[in-house]
């Protein structure tokens, strides 16, 4: 079955970086892109960007453009999201989700990675 | 950015009764390549990731009970739960995937009355 397994929770200090992984299985990795969506406490879901499974091309939200990097490793069927210059406002649950090429909706999600930014 | 606004923020419905959630987009969210409306609905139960219910505004995802239906066009959309069950207690989100940045509604919390 389709699985998106994310890395474990992280606690970071302000100014640090965090890298979250999303390891997939049960489907052809390159048929999909991987999107990253975060959910801060009490806030709505917030889209951060995506990485194309085939090309590795990325599209980022302007909000995160300067400090986010999304990559993928086709040999490992995995995607990664690195966010730098963390502040307390980055404390959130970070989800990866897959999107079939030509669509746009998220038909499978990881369980989320909690990132806490605290001094 | 396209703003997605849901109403109400929360609602309490008796078991077996109908629940209706509205979602309004600030712009038309049409995919010009296929002339379909780029709107999805997700259910998020406590402690779980969102789960896809509806896409292209009205297409039910495989495995989703048929008591869930989506409707609407242009900028106004509705998610209907025809007969609320206990397991439907959750937060529901609409989502537009027409343009970048992708955006979500603020969520509607559904509870049992």
């Amino acid at each position: 079955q389709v699985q998106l397994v994310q890395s474990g929770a992280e606690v970071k200090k302000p100014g640090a970086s965090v890298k979250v992984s999303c390891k997939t299985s049960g489907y052809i990795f390159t048929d999909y892109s991987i999107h990253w969506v975060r959910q801060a406490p009490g806030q709505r879901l917030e889209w951060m960007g995506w990485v194309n499974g085939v090309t590795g091309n990325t599209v980022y939200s302007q909000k995160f453009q300067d400090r986010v990097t999304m990559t993928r490793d086709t040999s490992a069927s995995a995607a990664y999201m690195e966010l730098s210059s963390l502040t307390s406002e980055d404390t959130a649950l970070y989800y990866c989700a897959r999107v079939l090429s030509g669509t746009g909706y998220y038909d499978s999600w990881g369980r989320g990675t909690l990132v806490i930014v605290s001094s | 950015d396209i703003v997605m606004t849901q109403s109400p923020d929360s609602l309490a419905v008796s078991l077996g009764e109908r629940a209706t959630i509205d979602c309004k987009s600030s712009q038309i969210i049409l995919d010009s390549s296929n002339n379909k409306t780029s709107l999805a609905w997700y259910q998020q139960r406590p402690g779980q990731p969102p789960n896809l219910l509806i896409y292209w505004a009205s297409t039910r995802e495989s495995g989703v009970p048929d008591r869930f239906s989506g409707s609407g066009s242009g900028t106004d959309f509705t998610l209907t739960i025809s007969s609320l069950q206990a397991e439907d207690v959750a937060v529901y989100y609409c989502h537009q995937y027409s343009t970048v940045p992708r955006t979500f509604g603020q969520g509607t919390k559904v509870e049992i009355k």
Side-chain angles (χ1 to χ4, degrees), chain A residues 30-43:
Chain A
T30 50
D31 282 350
Y32 292 78
S33 60
I34 294 291
H35 289 228
W36 293 89
V37 176
R38 77 178 188 179
Q39 189 170 36
Q43 301 297 311

Side-chain angles (χ1 to χ4, degrees), chain A residues 29-30 34 51-57 70-74 78-80:
Chain A
F29 181 78
T30 50
I34 294 291
V51 57
N52 184 295
V54 176
T55 64
N57 290 343
M70 296 178 187
T71 56
R72 97 290 184 234
D73 179 348
T74 56
Y80 306 88

Side-chain angles (χ1 to χ4, degrees), chain B residues 16-89:
Chain B
E17 295 300 304
R18 178 184 299 258
T20 301
I21 301 169
D22 293 323
C23 174
K24 189 175 186 66
S25 59
S26 60
Q27 301 174 33
I28 291 177
I29 46 175
L30 197 64
D31 187 329
S32 57
S33 68
N34 59 16
N35 210 36
K36 292 182 178 181
T37 300
S38 302
L39 183 107
W41 289 96
Y42 302 90
Q43 174 194 65
Q44 187 175 32
R45 296 187 175 115
Q48 295 190 18
N51 181 54
L52 178 66
L53 298 174
I54 303 288
Y55 56 94
W56 300 128
S58 61
T59 302
R60 193 180 306 113
E61 171 72 333
S62 175
V64 172
D66 60 8
R67 63 180 179 274
F68 291 92
S69 63
S71 62
S73 62
T75 61
D76 294 286
F77 307 96
T78 299
L79 175 71
T80 301
I81 310 172
S82 60
S83 175
L84 192 76
Q85 305 299 304
E87 60 265 33
D88 300 335
V89 169

